[in-house]
Each structure stands twice: as C-alpha cells, then as structure tokens.
C-alpha cells in the first residue's frame, strides 16, 4: 500500500521561503513519477512540479519556475519542494502525489492520472 505523508506547511509573508517534505513508502511501480500539486480555495487542483524516481528529470509549471525546486532523497524515500520568493497566489493546500505509469511532464496538467495522493499540508502566504 502506497503511503504519502506531507509536512512543512505554514504561514509566511510574501518573499519568504518554506520547504515541504513528503515521506513515501510502499511504492512498487516501475519508473513512477512523484509530483506536488496544490489547490487554492475555490479553485481546481493544479500541478506544481514533478520528478521521476531515481532520475534527475524535473518539470515545473510556468508560475513557479525559478522559485520552486523539487528534489528527492532516495536514501530515506523523501520528496521535497523548496519554495522561495513565495507570493500570496501560492497559498493553498499542497499535495504529494505519485503516478505509476504516466509522463511526469504531462502529469502536471492531468491530475486525474495520479494513482495515490497524500492528505496535504497547508501553505499560507500573506502580503
């Protein structure tokens, strides 16, 4: 059973930084894609960044390029999202996700392809 547990959310002022973590376990897919999604109140869930397990290929949506960095630590199966220069529009619930057999690039625009979701961690950015 796949388990994803996010942590690291909180409240910061615009321009600040946060680092989100996602502890993963039970992933047995071959070549899976790990990703971060977010959902603001009243809006649809959207992709933020993605990375293939055990590979360096990363993908970002335009709104976070240059500000967010996705990474992984394969020694303890943890996914990270470093968020710098945060903006109020980055506010939302952030979810860790895994897709077993889907393109990491395309996953960011197709949340229905996600196989497993975490419960999320809340990020609030004030102006």
């Amino acid at each position: 059973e796949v388990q994803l547990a996010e942590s690291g959310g909180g409240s910061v002022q615009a321009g600040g930084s946060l680092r989100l973590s996602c502890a993963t376990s039970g992933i047995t897919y071959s070549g899976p894609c790990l990703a971060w999604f977010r959902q603001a109140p009243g809006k649809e869930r959207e992709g933020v960044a993605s990375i293939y397990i055990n590979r360096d290929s990363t993908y970002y949506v335009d709104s976070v390029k240059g500000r967010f960095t996705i990474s992984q630590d394969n020694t303890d199966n943890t996914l990270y999202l470093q968020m710098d220069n945060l903006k109020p529009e980055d506010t939302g619930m952030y979810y860790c996700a895994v897709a077993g057999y889907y393109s990491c690039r395309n996953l960011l625009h197709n949340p229905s392809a996600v196989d497993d979701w975490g419960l999320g961690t809340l990020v609030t950015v004030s102006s």
Side-chain angles (χ1 to χ4, degrees):
E1 179 186 3
V2 175
Q3 293 188 335
L4 307 172
E6 303 94 336
S7 61
S11 297
V12 296
Q13 290 190 326
S17 298
L18 283 173
R19 188 174 83 152
L20 306 184
S21 300
C22 175
T24 73
S25 63
I27 297 176
T28 59
Y29 307 114
S30 58
C33 174
L34 293 174
W36 288 97
F37 285 77
R38 67 186 180 190
Q39 189 166 17
K43 294 189 175 181
E44 294 185 351
R45 193 169 297 188
E46 63 174 359
V48 175
S50 61
I51 185 170
Y52 285 107
I53 284 184
N54 297 325
R55 290 167 56 183
D56 294 333
S57 299
T58 57
Y59 305 88
Y60 300 90
V61 293
D62 288 344
S63 60
V64 307
K65 282 182 181 177
R67 301 189 298 122
F68 290 12
T69 303
I70 189 171
S71 63
Q72 59 187 323
D73 184 341
N74 295 323
T75 62
D76 63 2
N77 298 322
T78 303
L79 178 71
Y80 298 100
L81 185 68
Q82 177 66 41
M83 305 186 295
D84 298 317
N85 191 21
L86 283 159
K87 303 176 180 181
E89 52 263 43
D90 294 318
T91 293
M93 189 71 79
Y94 281 69
Y95 298 92
C96 178
V98 61
Y101 310 100
Y102 204 80
S103 160
C104 254
R105 183 190 303 274
N106 295 335
L107 183 65
L108 296 181
H109 306 286
N110 191 10
S112 64
V114 169
D115 291 301
D116 304 278
W117 294 97
L119 296 179
T121 185
L122 182 62
V123 172
T124 304
V125 184
S126 57
S127 58

